[in-house]
Amino acid sequence: MTSIFSADGKNVPCTVLEAGPCVITQVKTVETDGYDAYQLAYGDKKEKSTTKAMLGHFKKAGTTPKRKLTELTFEQELGLGDTVTVDIFSEGEFVDVVGVSKGKGFQGVVKRHGFSGVGGQTHGQHNRLRAPGSLGASSWPSRVFKGMRMGGQTGNVRVKALNLEILKVFPEQNLLVVKGSVPGAKGSFVIVEK
Amino acid sequence: MDLVKFVAENTKVGVDLNPFKAGDTVAVHYKIKEGNKERIQVFQGVVLQRRGSGTTETFTVRKISNGIAVERIFPSSSPFIDKVEVLNRGLVRRARLFYLREAKGKAAKIKTKR
């Protein structure tokens, strides 16, 4: 993340994304696959670390081996081997950004669900400052309801950040500057949806 | 990180500031908008620190106003900064001069670099 100053002097937080160029490596249709989609490939990969099966797949599209593949739908018609660049975005538009959030490991309920903990250090609280408290009633229902919020793996899940404004587009460098933060660590892959 | 630098250079709106360091006495000419009118206010004091890089860089200026210490943090690339005059180069041994907040009398004086 960084920030840029707008013309009227406001300091706007933003994230710089390298968007494309992506190559269409497969066109899925209702006849062959049961649904319509385009497979997009991004990021270069060494030929020696690509399996022969995947090499053939990229050769069919007439492109070099790529690191990341994803399926998306497009309104306009595209063909095998076509490139999708940052040109499809314009400044002032709103986009959604999908990424995998930073993994936080096994976390308690205070961090994971925003519980406020016990709320005091005295009055008999010995070692339960961040404990969840009661999980439910007693003889009825005699069980813990499904979906009860407890500790567990936090982060490292697919997250979509909605309605981020595009502040700037640099077509030559394939750069996109969106307002605010996006899910994931620095240098991780994200999907930008219109 | 070079992508962030590229964006910083291509979205620049502020002026290039004179080089200054912690310990220098500076006068920051800051534009203030009042309705449609714009005027310039000068904030003069000692630079306590410069932190961050690129567009997110800020610097802290401390002055004594009527016996009360006032600290103000300016974003270095803010378009509201008209200019930064360097009045005095200070001789200091660290990059962050937070000890000045507690220092009194002679200890709060900064020697001039020659």
Side-chain angles (χ1 to χ4, degrees), chain B residues 56-72:
Chain B
T56 53
E57 191 193 331
T58 61
F59 58 93
T60 309
V61 181
R62 177 187 163 93
K63 76 166 180 182
I64 310 288
S65 172
N66 300 328
I68 295 164
V70 179
E71 277 181 28
R72 190 158 172 191

Side-chain angles (χ1 to χ4, degrees), chain A residues 73-147:
Chain A
T73 52
F74 279 89
E75 278 171 17
Q76 69 262 46
E77 287 275 309
L78 293 163
L80 196 66
D82 286 359
T83 50
V84 180
T85 58
V86 76
D87 294 332
I88 58 170
F89 299 108
S90 56
E91 280 166 32
E93 254 183 330
F94 288 87
V95 291
D96 299 341
V97 178
V98 184
V100 176
S101 64
K102 281 184 181 175
K104 313 260 185 244
F106 192 105
Q107 295 297 332
V109 287
V110 174
K111 194 183 187 87
R112 192 169 184 225
H113 298 297
F115 284 20
S116 38
V118 161
Q121 293 195 13
T122 55
H123 296 297
Q125 308 307 333
H126 159 58
N127 57 0
R128 54 188 79 91
L129 292 177
R130 294 169 73 89
S134 169
L135 297 180
S138 178
S139 58
W140 189 89
S142 287
R143 64 188 173 92
V144 174
F145 286 124
K146 267 192 180 175

Side-chain angles (χ1 to χ4, degrees), chain B residues 32-75:
Chain B
I32 287 178
K33 263 196 188 135
E34 285 170 339
N36 294 329
K37 269 196 274 179
E38 203 180 68
R39 64 184 178 88
I40 284 176
Q41 195 181 60
V42 183
F43 191 93
Q44 186 180 326
V46 179
V47 178
L48 286 197
Q49 66 164 348
R50 293 187 74 164
R51 67 187 296 271
S53 62
T55 38
T56 53
E57 191 193 331
T58 61
F59 58 93
T60 309
V61 181
R62 177 187 163 93
K63 76 166 180 182
I64 310 288
S65 172
N66 300 328
I68 295 164
V70 179
E71 277 181 28
R72 190 158 172 191
I73 300 168
F74 295 97

Side-chain angles (χ1 to χ4, degrees), chain A residues 2-5 8-9 170 173 175, chain B residues 6 11 13 55-56 75 77 79-80:
Chain A
T2 179
S3 69
I4 56 177
F5 280 91
D8 55 341
F170 296 100
Q173 286 76 21
L175 292 185
Chain B
F6 171 83
T11 55
V13 278
T55 38
T56 53
S77 41
F80 290 124

Side-chain angles (χ1 to χ4, degrees), chain A residues 115-194:
Chain A
F115 284 20
S116 38
V118 161
Q121 293 195 13
T122 55
H123 296 297
Q125 308 307 333
H126 159 58
N127 57 0
R128 54 188 79 91
L129 292 177
R130 294 169 73 89
S134 169
L135 297 180
S138 178
S139 58
W140 189 89
S142 287
R143 64 188 173 92
V144 174
F145 286 124
K146 267 192 180 175
M148 179 58 60
R149 293 172 296 167
M150 295 188 192
Q153 164 69 33
T154 306
N156 197 17
V157 288
R158 188 184 151 105
V159 177
K160 189 187 268 189
L162 298 173
N163 285 332
L164 305 178
E165 191 185 344
I166 296 179
L167 298 174
K168 272 258 172 344
V169 179
F170 296 100
E172 274 137 64
Q173 286 76 21
N174 295 310
L175 292 185
L176 208 58
V177 182
V178 296
K179 189 174 173 181
S181 59
V182 301
K186 276 178 197 169
S188 57
F189 291 95
V190 291
I191 300 168
V192 184
E193 292 175 354
K194 244 205 258 203

